[in-house]
Amino acid sequence: MTKLNASIPQGPLAEKWTYYKSHQKLVNPANKRRLDVIVVGTGLAGASAAASLGEMGFNVLNFCIQDSPRRAHSIAAQGGINAAKNYQNDGDSVYRLFYDTIKGGDYRAREANVYRLAEVSNSIIDQCVAQGVPFAREYGGLLDNRSFGGAQVSRTFYAKGQTGQQLLLGAYSALSRQVHKGSVKLYTRYEMMDLVLVKDEKGVERARGIIARNLVTGKLERFSAHAVVIGTGGYGNAFFLSTNAMNSNGSAAMQCYRKGALFANPAFAQIHPTCIPVHGDFQSKLTLMSESLRNDGRIWVPKKIEDAKALQEGKLKPTQIKEEDRDYYLERRYPAFGNLVPRDVASRAAKERTDAGFGVNNTGLAVFLDFSSAIERLGKDVVAARYGNLFQMYEKITADNPYETPMMIYPAIHYTMGGIWVDYELMTTIPGCFAIGEANFSDHGANRLGASALMQGLADGYFVLPYTIQNYLSDQIQVPRFSVDLPEFEKTEREVEDKIAQLMSIKGSRSVDSFHKALGHIMWDYVGMARTKESLETALTKIKALKAEFWKEVFIPGQSNTLNVELEKALRLADFFDIGYLMALDGLNRNESCGGHFREEYQTPEGEALRDDEHYAYASCWKFSGEDKEPELIKESLEYEFVVRQQRNYKA
């Protein structure tokens, strides 16, 4: 039986991180030069971690599947990054940011990790300002803030609707400096294929390297290191249509899972309420409209079902519906937070209205996000200054001018709160293997508040991992560098070769995308915004059958020893089948509703998520038991010492 040790430091909540840093083991500068660290991923978590470790003196090997770290999916984040600076003087504090995050995650996150996240948040802003990130500023010169869902204070720092891009450029500049100095070696267009474990003299298997595929040449290559850091993002593309970049995937996480790392809370996937609705069968991804738009935009549907029908049939325009005939349903249901309720709450409310027949586009699967009140109150110029690039993007995609007619939005898969299980030090159950950012499970519980993804990625990379990884590496300074000719590297590479050869030899009749779309339909229909015992059982059966058909009928053109995008997609899809299965299995196991996991059998009379703290106040951690075998469930009990669990209330 695997026993989980979260390695949480002793002492009061507000002193745990300080205590940890005061008692951790260190590596002196001369010894750092003798240690190698692999960082997989160059998004905000990966780039900041690689830059920080390089600056400290470690030898870093940094891998990304794109042709430049600047193309990492972190660039797509729009709205902002949270921090408890309290520049608005509206009552914010580190504790309030901590509590809002715990509450927003529906009390399913680890208390100590979340407090540390809130504690280091202010340092992130200072770091990014020093890098030249062009945050918006008020007239007096101070950094500006805006509001995001799940909070009653303004704590979100932003750079128009391009915050992710600007933060990633800051991290990229820090990374580039280390590449120029020679402390970081950057491998672009390389994809991790598997994790290599090597037994030490005591028989303990440790992460000692990776097998990576050069995506340009198709060649498999071996890389060794004293530790491996996974910063490869989330697994939302299991749904095919999501707000993620098309090459975002969960393969690195699954490779670690199959080597012994636990996969925690896979069912916790976030549905973002503010996305451009699906508009056709040939769509390859969905487009996110920033949550920041909910600061000034008001969400509504018609009060009268006949008006909704007329809108769906194109017989009525939204501007023709009188104010008194509009249902601002979030403001009606949640008066204290209004349009700025957390994402899971806003998404379910939109689903409830559209399920009742009040959807507003030709499919009936959309609601309005209206800026007419803001334009009247603030003026068009102010609205344009705040959201202009987002309005422009919306108009390019839909051919509608949001200054003149309301945007149409609908929920879509966005972020995954589940991921590789890590302890307080961000280390997985595999010694020497760490996971950071969205790739791990640690900070968001069952739902992530908006503008907290960038916060976690940079917190892990700049201010947490550089401390915690030393605690592990301090015992490795006597370990010489590893030869990639070790039998473990040879065996792992051969296993990857065999998997690729098997895929290439199938020569079936269906494309990779046809299977991925079919998986996406299963996931959205049965494991999506609302789930039931029956739907999840159906999903498990259908995923298993589709996976079997994939391994018999997929067709991959071209060769494996060259650039082959279809092979890349097939390898990732093979992992998405297993991720989808884990998501459905985890959802079936959790007989409650919490955050992004909504079981229709478990809801309050008002239709809100109904938790069961007596039986499910734990992180569900799944252990790989072998191919075609059911994984083992291991529970990490989430003991709350400093907050009291309550039914979430955003009404008062």
Side-chain angles (χ1 to χ4, degrees), residues 91-152:
D92 202 8
S93 65
V94 168
Y95 183 85
R96 191 174 291 277
L97 174 54
F98 153 73
Y99 183 75
D100 286 347
T101 306
I102 283 279
K103 177 183 175 183
D106 219 350
Y107 303 95
R108 289 292 179 263
R110 188 189 291 148
E111 205 177 41
N113 286 63
V114 178
Y115 193 90
R116 177 178 62 187
L117 175 66
E119 187 178 351
V120 304
S121 66
N122 292 339
S123 298
I124 297 171
I125 304 304
D126 297 338
Q127 170 91 354
C128 294
V129 169
Q131 291 173 338
V133 173
F135 287 121
R137 293 181 181 267
E138 294 180 325
Y139 178 76
L142 287 177
L143 299 184
D144 196 12
N145 291 128
R146 56 189 176 198
S147 299
F148 257 60
Q152 291 180 302

Side-chain angles (χ1 to χ4, degrees), residues 349-365:
K351 183 178 188 297
E352 185 276 327
R353 288 290 79 197
T354 56
D355 285 353
F358 291 90
V360 298
N361 71 349
N362 59 345
T363 65
L365 298 176

Side-chain angles (χ1 to χ4, degrees), residues 364-430:
L365 298 176
V367 298
F368 287 129
L369 179 61
D370 195 332
F371 285 84
S372 57
S373 296
I375 292 171
E376 184 177 341
R377 183 181 78 254
L378 301 169
K380 182 178 177 180
D381 290 345
V382 173
V383 173
R386 291 179 181 177
Y387 313 112
N389 62 308
L390 297 171
F391 278 39
Q392 183 183 42
M393 181 172 71
Y394 181 87
E395 185 171 5
K396 281 188 175 181
I397 294 171
T398 66
D400 280 336
N401 183 346
Y403 293 105
E404 298 174 359
T405 187
M407 291 183 180
M408 286 193 287
I409 57 169
Y410 195 68
I413 285 288
H414 179 54
Y415 185 94
T416 48
M417 286 74 67
I420 306 173
W421 183 90
V422 293
D423 62 13
Y424 188 77
E425 298 184 306
L426 304 184
M427 189 160 72
T428 71
T429 45
I430 301 172

Side-chain angles (χ1 to χ4, degrees), residues 6 11 34 50 73 80 105 118 170 196 199 207 230 311 318 440 444 456 467 486 504 526 593 634 641:
R34 299 163 56 183
H73 185 58
V196 179
K199 287 185 179 179
I230 306 298
L311 285 165
N440 75 32
H444 305 297
Q456 187 208 349
Y467 287 97
L486 288 172
M504 296 299 299
Y526 303 106
S593 291
I634 299 166
E641 299 179 60

Side-chain angles (χ1 to χ4, degrees), residues 25 54 100 102 153 246 273 292 296 318 365 404 479 632:
K25 298 175 183 177
D100 286 347
I102 283 279
V153 297
M246 289 178 65
S292 64
D296 292 306
L365 298 176
E404 298 174 359
V479 178
E632 175 189 353

Side-chain angles (χ1 to χ4, degrees), residues 150-167:
Q152 291 180 302
V153 297
S154 293
R155 64 163 66 104
T156 303
F157 296 78
Y158 65 97
K160 291 191 76 172
Q162 307 167 354
T163 313
Q165 179 182 14
Q166 299 303 329
L167 291 173

